Amino acid sequence: MFISFEGGEGSGKSPQAELLHQRLQLEGFSAILVREPGTTPLGLYLRQSLRQEHRKQDSISPIAELLMFGAARAELVAKVLRPALAKHETVVIADRYADSTTAYQGYGRRLALKFVTLINELATDGTMPDMTFLLACPQPAISTIP
């Protein structure tokens, strides 16, 4: 089984994915937890690159960002997800997956959804979650101090 957790920043995806992972292992299931981007060397490189402070003129273009996420996901699918899912007894839990690309690069960066969908389809090669939990939280209230 393949389960993903999606949601905005601060919605609790990572803690919930970790709790499920721990609980499944405690109950005797074979389970692995993957993070996107991350888990593979290419994914970790992308995660580190995105976390670095960039000056506005140094940031990558939205289409390059989409392609980078696609490349990291393709590597994750080939090297981690497919081998784990082939074992039939393993539960894979993903802290983000393709829906995040649709949200952030498609809607956030305003890239054409047909291109985002194409990259997601190429990168996943049909490896999609059996179940996705979307954690929706209201945005924090913005206070104005006079």
Side-chain angles (χ1 to χ4, degrees), residues 38-108:
T39 305
T40 65
L42 180 61
L44 289 171
Y45 175 80
L46 176 58
R47 178 179 284 278
Q48 291 168 350
S49 175
L50 291 171
R51 285 189 170 179
Q52 291 176 354
E53 294 291 328
H54 291 286
R55 294 189 318 259
K56 184 101 171 144
Q57 67 267 22
D58 290 341
S59 64
I60 62 173
S61 69
I63 193 72
E65 185 179 76
L66 171 65
L67 294 169
M68 288 175 64
F69 278 111
R73 184 166 298 121
E75 190 78 351
L76 178 71
V77 168
K79 302 249 173 101
V80 180
L81 297 185
R82 285 246 168 100
L85 292 169
K87 295 178 183 173
H88 299 297
E89 298 291 324
T90 301
V91 178
V92 176
I93 303 154
D95 181 352
R96 295 194 185 277
Y97 197 61
D99 291 326
S100 285
T101 301
T102 301
Y104 284 92
Q105 280 66 49
Y107 292 99

Side-chain angles (χ1 to χ4, degrees), residues 9-41:
E9 296 301 319
S11 64
K13 295 173 302 301
S14 298
Q16 291 302 314
E18 183 63 41
L19 284 170
L20 177 59
H21 179 244
Q22 290 173 1
R23 181 60 185 251
L24 288 171
Q25 288 184 319
L26 186 67
E27 296 292 329
F29 291 92
S30 172
I32 65 167
L33 176 63
V34 298
R35 288 186 171 83
E36 277 222 292
T39 305
T40 65

Side-chain angles (χ1 to χ4, degrees), residues 82-144:
R82 285 246 168 100
L85 292 169
K87 295 178 183 173
H88 299 297
E89 298 291 324
T90 301
V91 178
V92 176
I93 303 154
D95 181 352
R96 295 194 185 277
Y97 197 61
D99 291 326
S100 285
T101 301
T102 301
Y104 284 92
Q105 280 66 49
Y107 292 99
R109 301 279 190 222
R110 299 186 187 275
L111 292 174
L113 291 179
K114 66 181 180 179
F115 296 129
V116 175
T117 300
L118 176 63
I119 294 302
N120 276 336
E121 287 174 354
L122 287 169
T124 65
D125 193 26
T127 303
M128 295 300 288
D130 298 298
M131 180 183 304
T132 297
F133 291 100
L134 173 60
L135 304 180
C137 298
Q139 292 294 323
I142 298 173
S143 65
T144 55

